[in-house]
Amino acid sequence: MATYTPRTITTTRREWAVPASKPYGAAAAEIGKAWAVAERAYREQHDLGKDAFLPDNALVFTPGDDEIVISFTIEAEAA
């Protein structure tokens, strides 16, 4: 007989969308602001201090047709 443990995982994706209108794209200052807020939220979520190492893949930047989305994903076992 097989032994296993069933799980239900809840995934939450936090996003910050920065407008990137054509033909000029997103303003560096606006990306910087959103990046700072996203990084702060990541640190709070993972109980990391402001000087703690942040993994290279902590935040993901995804370009779209009219925006750049900065995001991270949180997984937790459902209650």
Side-chain angles (χ1 to χ4, degrees):
M1 182 173 184
T3 302
Y4 61 88
T5 304
R7 294 185 184 106
T8 301
I9 304 297
T10 302
T11 303
T12 302
R13 179 179 163 104
R14 303 271 318 265
E15 294 187 346
W16 293 262
V18 179
S21 59
K22 293 181 182 176
Y24 302 110
E30 297 307 312
I31 291 174
K33 291 175 196 174
W35 188 343
V37 172
E39 184 174 321
R40 193 173 318 120
Y42 182 92
R43 289 179 183 283
E44 288 173 3
Q45 181 66 46
H46 296 282
D47 295 321
L48 297 173
K50 68 177 186 172
D51 295 325
F53 173 76
L54 201 67
D56 286 342
N57 63 348
L59 301 175
V60 176
F61 291 70
T62 307
D65 289 337
D66 58 356
E67 65 184 9
I68 295 173
V69 178
I70 303 169
S71 65
F72 67 87
T73 302
I74 306 158
E75 290 186 352
E77 193 161 343

